[in-house]
């Protein structure tokens, strides 16, 4: 405990009026009461400033799988929620029509090749002109192109996984008549996850000031059950524009997901920890506010208490980080 004497009643001590009767005359005597107040000292310390942000979890690849050709869905090879490997067959569209078209194109290509070979022998014997040989070659090239096109169309009846991932809900069932471009399912690559969270303009400027030439800060993810995800993430990119209505900008952190716990569409909280070296800390309960300005009572060496305005750099639970006013 330290005793502090106030210079006036506004500085925290109570001015008491003592009234004493003197015959028919009353006199009022004013005296300054002394009191004892608990005081503390600002503390300098390396401090971790923890900020929390609501976030959304997204797969690094999340695509729609659609039919490339029209036809009946002949077979579904993968169930909902199952893992697939790149190149694995997922859907089969009835290929009968496309197989027939391919056979026809192959037959026409074989006929064009025979015709070209015969024309070439005649041209070598100077029986036909070079123009006729060139025309036969053009017919052969056209037939080969048609055959390749029909083979591509036939391949479109097989829907294969473009990458390793997890298949989502089926939007069609076996036997459905599909239109070209119809949505079949979605596929997510959850090997790593992108976590998006919005940061205010002031926090963005502080982040950029600290991040100059430094390694990207590591962040933590708190899941919906308040459990902390076991793997740390890293802020890797910031969007280009601020949102006009909210005044925030989106950050993206990447988290490894080796056990597949995180799924596309989850929510949670991102915890970003920033180190403040040699921060000046004062208890929040030692401050008071006047017209949106923060003040503290300072005890001078003489024991007199005076108010002093301070500027708050950061707010922490029960503490303020002071930017100026007490240095």
């Amino acid at each position: 405990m330290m005793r502090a004497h106030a210079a006036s009643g506004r500085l925290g001590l109570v001015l008491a009026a003592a009234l004493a009767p003197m015959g028919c005359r009353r006199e009022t005597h004013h005296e300054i009461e002394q009191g004892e107040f608990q005081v503390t000292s600002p503390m300098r310390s390396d401090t971790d400033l923890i900020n929390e942000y609501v976030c959304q979890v997204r797969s690094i690849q999340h695509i729609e799988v659609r039919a490339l050709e029209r036809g009946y869905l002949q077979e579904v090879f993968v169930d909902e929620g199952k893992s697939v490997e790149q190149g694995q067959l997922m859907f089969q569209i009835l290929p009968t029509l496309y197989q027939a078209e391919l056979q026809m194109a192959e037959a026409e290509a074989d006929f064009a090749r025979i015709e070209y070979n015969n024309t070439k022998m005649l041209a070598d014997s100077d029986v036909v002109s070079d123009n006729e040989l060139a025309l036969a070659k053009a017919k052969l090239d056209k037939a080969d192109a048609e055959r390749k096109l029909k083979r591509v169309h036939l391949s479109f009846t097989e829907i294969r996984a473009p990458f390793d991932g997890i298949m989502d809900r089926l939007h069609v069932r076996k036997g459905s008549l599909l239109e070209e471009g119809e949505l079949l399912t979605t596929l997510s690559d959850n090997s790593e996850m992108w976590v998006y969270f919005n940061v205010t303009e002031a926090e963005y400027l502080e982040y950029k000031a600290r991040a100059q030439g430094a390694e990207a800060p590591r962040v933590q993810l708190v899941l919906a059950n308040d459990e902390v995800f076991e793997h740390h993430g890293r802020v890797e990119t910031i969007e280009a524009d601020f949102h006009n209505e909210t005044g925030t900008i989106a950050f993206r952190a990447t988290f490894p997901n080796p056990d597949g716990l995180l799924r596309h569409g989850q929510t949670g909280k991102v915890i970003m920890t920033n180190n403040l070296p040699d921060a000046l800390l004062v208890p929040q309960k030692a401050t008071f506010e006047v017209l949106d300005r923060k003040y503290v009572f300072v005890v001078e060496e003489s024991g007199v208490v005076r108010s002093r305005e301070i500027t708050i750099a950061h707010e922490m639970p029960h503490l303020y980080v002071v930017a100026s006013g007490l240095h």
Side-chain angles (χ1 to χ4, degrees), residues 203-217:
E203 291 170 335
Y204 161 79
L205 293 173
E206 291 178 1
Y207 169 84
K208 294 298 289 184
R210 289 191 304 269
Q212 292 295 335
E215 186 179 6

Side-chain angles (χ1 to χ4, degrees), residues 8-235:
S8 67
R10 293 186 178 180
L11 298 182
L13 297 182
V14 178
L15 295 178
L19 304 179
M22 296 182 61
C24 295
R25 180 183 175 186
R26 291 187 177 180
E27 293 183 358
T28 302
H29 298 276
H30 297 273
E31 63 180 24
I32 299 178
E33 291 186 359
Q34 292 184 350
E36 292 185 351
F37 297 91
Q38 186 175 5
V39 298
T40 186
S41 299
M43 179 178 65
R44 283 198 175 276
S45 174
D46 292 342
T47 303
D48 288 332
L49 180 64
I50 298 176
N51 293 322
E52 292 186 356
Y53 307 93
V54 176
C55 67
Q56 295 180 326
V57 180
R58 296 289 183 264
S59 303
I60 59 171
Q61 291 191 89
H62 181 76
I63 65 168
E64 295 178 339
V65 180
R66 295 183 177 272
L68 298 176
E69 293 288 351
R70 186 178 186 274
Y72 286 98
L73 182 59
Q74 183 179 33
E75 195 63 62
V76 179
F77 296 100
V78 184
D79 198 4
E80 299 175 333
K82 298 299 183 180
S83 297
V84 297
E85 297 180 354
Q86 182 176 359
Q88 181 178 341
L89 184 61
M90 301 173 65
F91 300 94
Q92 175 69 64
I93 299 173
L94 191 64
T96 305
L97 175 62
Y98 301 102
Q99 286 176 340
E101 290 179 347
L102 176 60
Q103 291 173 355
M104 182 183 298
E106 287 177 340
E108 291 178 352
D110 290 341
F111 177 79
R113 179 171 287 101
I114 294 172
E115 187 176 23
Y116 169 73
N117 290 336
N118 291 336
T119 304
K120 187 175 186 303
M121 286 190 299
L122 294 174
D124 291 342
S125 302
D126 295 328
V127 176
V128 297
S129 66
D130 291 340
N131 287 339
E132 290 187 26
L133 178 62
L135 181 61
K137 181 63 168 61
K139 289 181 180 179
L140 175 61
D141 292 342
K142 180 181 179 182
D144 283 338
E146 286 290 336
R147 181 179 58 182
K148 292 178 181 178
L149 178 62
K150 299 304 181 182
R151 183 171 293 132
V152 170
H153 284 179
L154 179 61
S155 70
F156 284 168
T157 63
E158 294 183 346
I159 311 299
R160 297 181 178 272
F163 51 79
D164 296 347
I166 299 176
M167 193 174 84
D168 194 17
R169 180 171 63 90
L170 290 169
H171 292 265
V172 293
R173 295 294 185 270
K174 181 178 177 179
S176 301
L177 176 60
L178 305 178
E179 297 295 333
E180 182 179 345
E182 186 167 349
L183 178 63
L184 306 178
T185 186
T186 56
L187 186 65
S188 300
D189 179 0
N190 293 343
S191 57
E192 290 185 321
M193 306 300 289
W194 284 342
V195 177
Y196 292 87
F197 56 100
N198 293 325
V199 174
T200 65
E201 186 173 354
E203 291 170 335
Y204 161 79
L205 293 173
E206 291 178 1
Y207 169 84
K208 294 298 289 184
R210 289 191 304 269
Q212 292 295 335
E215 186 179 6
R218 298 172 70 86
V219 295
Q220 290 180 291
L221 175 63
V222 179
L223 304 177
N225 60 354
D226 292 330
E227 294 288 335
V228 179
F229 186 55
E230 62 177 321
H231 301 283
H232 285 76
R234 191 177 301 280
V235 175

